[in-house]
Amino acid sequence: MALNTSADSPIPVGEVSRLIGGWIDRLGAVWVEGQITQLSRRPGAGVVFLTLRDPSYDISLSVTCFRSVFDRVADVVSEGARVVVQAKPEWYAPRGQLSLRAAEIRPVGVGELLARLEQLKRALAAEGLFAADRKKPLPFLPQLIGLVCGRASAAERDVLENARLRWPAVRFEVRNVPVQGVHAVPRVVAAVRELDARPDVDVIVVARGGGSVEDLLPFSDEQLVRTVAACATPVVSAIGHEPDSPLLDLVADLRASTPTDAAKKVVPDVGEELSRIQQLRERALRAVGGLLDREERGLAHALARPCMERPHRMVDERAEQVEAAVARARRTLGHLLDRADSELSHTLARVVALSPAATLRRGYAVLQHADGTVVRAAGEVAPDEELRARVAEGGFTVRVAVGDRP
């Protein structure tokens, strides 16, 4: 319940601590899982002090238990071990501290860990985090590689040496972090996020040189898996442990069996690439040489044709054909003109023969009145009328006699 307090009516610290203790007492006993990070068993003391930590988050709780409770598992439990504890939350009012009072401690066995990992694996797979279509391709030649590994570890040495042997110009941005224990998960997650935020990092390699199932648990942590799944930069998992594959192998864009294998898969071999370039150059030269040879043969074949050996021959042949056509055209036109001339002469002769002038030359005359009309009958003239007589060689005037009318 909320307290009615104000600056004028505050409550004492002791009362606040007492109320908090009352609320915590009502929680009851709970089962808690975590990893033991600190263990204190003082000789002769009846109470054992533990620190229980959540490996996925930076959260710890103090745990106390009677020596008799801890002695039941003392042979199998030590610092770094995962345990399940039945405990009741307690509030130490004088110091304002929260702790757990353990009534039972159970070590988490390998079988239980594997069962829980399998359950987590199915849940993450159902979300699609392991789907193949989510995998990002690695760049052919990364300029800067982010490496997350243990400090001065064999994994770091294997990746650096093998990568530089394959491509001497490659550069690394190394982040040394704990790769096992309670601090491994948050440190690895922070390193991956930092490298992913850098635009100049082309690929991230998370490497470790193998270990037991318990040692590799940080690389199956849900927080780390989700962090890698959210990365925009391709991530390579290089955890050298073949029998049991951590979940990081499934969510990573590429899985390498060992750190050495990761170096081989991330950068190309300069010798192999030079050899491949040489092979491509030789193949290109062969292709270009074959093309030139083929075109040269075609050109030689074209030059060997008669029209190319004697290029004027075709012009000469066409000139003869043109001359023959011109002569033929002239002959044809001459025949047509001769025929037309003959026809015109005959027509002219017929026209001349039928013309009135020809009739007049045979001795006939044409009589015309003064107005120019032709006299066609004797009754058309009057006595003493002057008529115009037209003959072949000119004309003259005549007068009609009085006694000449019929």
Side-chain angles (χ1 to χ4, degrees):
M1 295 176 61
L3 299 177
N4 293 323
T5 61
S6 66
D8 297 330
S9 59
I11 62 175
V13 173
E15 181 65 14
V16 174
S17 181
R18 185 186 65 81
L19 291 173
I20 293 175
W23 294 330
I24 292 175
D25 285 340
R26 288 197 294 270
L27 291 178
V30 293
W31 285 97
V32 182
E33 180 185 358
Q35 191 172 21
I36 298 176
T37 59
Q38 292 182 355
L39 175 60
S40 176
R41 288 189 296 172
R42 297 173 183 171
V47 178
V48 178
F49 297 90
L50 310 171
T51 299
L52 201 62
R53 182 183 180 87
D54 187 335
S56 300
Y57 302 94
D58 192 13
I59 298 176
S60 301
L61 280 177
S62 297
V63 180
T64 60
C65 66
F66 293 112
R67 180 173 289 274
S68 59
V69 174
F70 186 81
D71 286 345
R72 299 186 197 128
V73 294
D75 295 336
V76 293
V77 169
S78 60
E79 289 188 3
R82 282 178 175 259
V83 294
V84 175
V85 177
Q86 184 189 30
K88 184 180 184 305
E90 289 185 345
W91 180 256
Y92 186 60
R95 294 185 180 177
Q97 292 181 345
L98 176 65
S99 64
L100 299 175
R101 172 71 69 171
E104 184 178 355
I105 300 175
R106 296 181 184 179
V108 177
V110 175
E112 294 175 280
L113 289 175
L114 293 178
R116 293 181 185 179
L117 288 180
E118 186 63 29
Q119 183 179 5
L120 177 60
K121 176 182 175 180
R122 289 195 296 269
L124 296 177
E127 295 182 26
L129 298 186
F130 304 151
D133 56 0
R134 297 186 73 259
K135 308 294 185 183
K136 295 177 285 294
L138 269 63
F140 170 71
L141 182 58
Q143 300 299 314
L144 182 62
I145 301 174
L147 177 60
V148 181
C149 60
R151 184 179 302 277
S153 62
E156 178 181 4
R157 183 178 62 255
D158 290 345
V159 173
L160 296 180
E161 290 182 357
N162 285 279
R164 285 167 178 160
L165 284 175
R166 292 173 63 83
W167 198 273
V170 69
R171 296 181 296 116
F172 281 90
E173 189 68 26
V174 181
R175 293 293 180 270
N176 295 122
V177 296
V179 290
Q180 68 182 61
V182 294
H183 299 289
V185 173
R187 295 288 298 277
V188 173
V189 167
V192 170
R193 288 176 177 170
E194 179 188 354
L195 293 173
D196 183 52
R198 293 186 52 167
D200 55 340
V201 174
D202 299 317
V203 63
I204 300 172
V205 178
V206 181
R208 177 191 162 90
S212 63
V213 175
E214 294 87 345
D215 293 338
L216 298 181
L217 284 178
F219 300 98
S220 293
D221 185 85
E222 182 178 359
Q223 183 185 9
L224 177 58
V225 171
R226 294 189 181 277
T227 298
V228 172
C231 283
T233 308
V235 178
V236 177
S237 174
I239 310 301
H241 193 264
E242 288 292 342
D244 299 304
S245 177
L247 299 185
L248 178 63
D249 287 350
L250 303 178
V251 74
D253 299 294
L254 177 68
R255 176 187 180 274
S257 58
T258 62
T260 301
D261 184 48
K264 295 179 180 179
K265 291 182 176 180
V266 169
V267 295
D269 184 82
V270 64
E272 294 177 358
E273 296 305 319
L274 289 175
S275 176
R276 185 177 292 110
I277 291 173
Q278 182 62 28
Q279 293 174 2
L280 292 175
R281 291 180 61 185
E282 292 175 355
R283 189 166 64 183
L285 288 174
R286 288 195 299 271
V288 173
L291 177 63
L292 292 177
D293 292 342
R294 184 168 63 252
E295 296 301 324
E296 187 177 7
R297 288 194 299 271
L299 182 60
H301 178 71
L303 292 175
R305 299 179 63 182
C307 62
M308 297 301 293
E309 290 182 347
R310 296 178 55 195
H312 295 288
R313 177 181 177 181
M314 183 172 60
V315 178
D316 295 340
E317 291 177 355
R318 295 295 183 270
E320 293 175 359
Q321 294 176 2
V322 171
E323 291 176 358
V326 169
R328 187 167 60 250
R330 287 177 176 174
R331 289 194 300 271
T332 301
L333 182 60
H335 292 325
L336 291 176
L337 292 176
D338 292 343
R339 184 183 305 168
D341 183 67
S342 177
E343 291 177 356
L344 182 61
S345 299
H346 286 92
T347 301
L348 180 60
R350 287 196 300 270
V351 170
V352 170
L354 296 175
S355 68
T359 303
L360 294 178
R361 280 194 294 270
R362 289 197 299 270
Y364 293 94
V366 177
L367 296 178
Q368 295 175 315
H369 292 286
D371 58 1
T373 58
V374 178
V375 178
R376 291 181 175 83
E380 296 179 354
V381 298
D384 203 25
E385 180 182 359
E386 288 187 356
L387 301 176
R388 178 68 178 173
R390 183 180 177 184
V391 294
E393 299 297 333
F396 54 88
T397 302
V398 296
R399 184 179 296 275
V400 179
V402 175
D404 289 341
R405 291 195 61 183

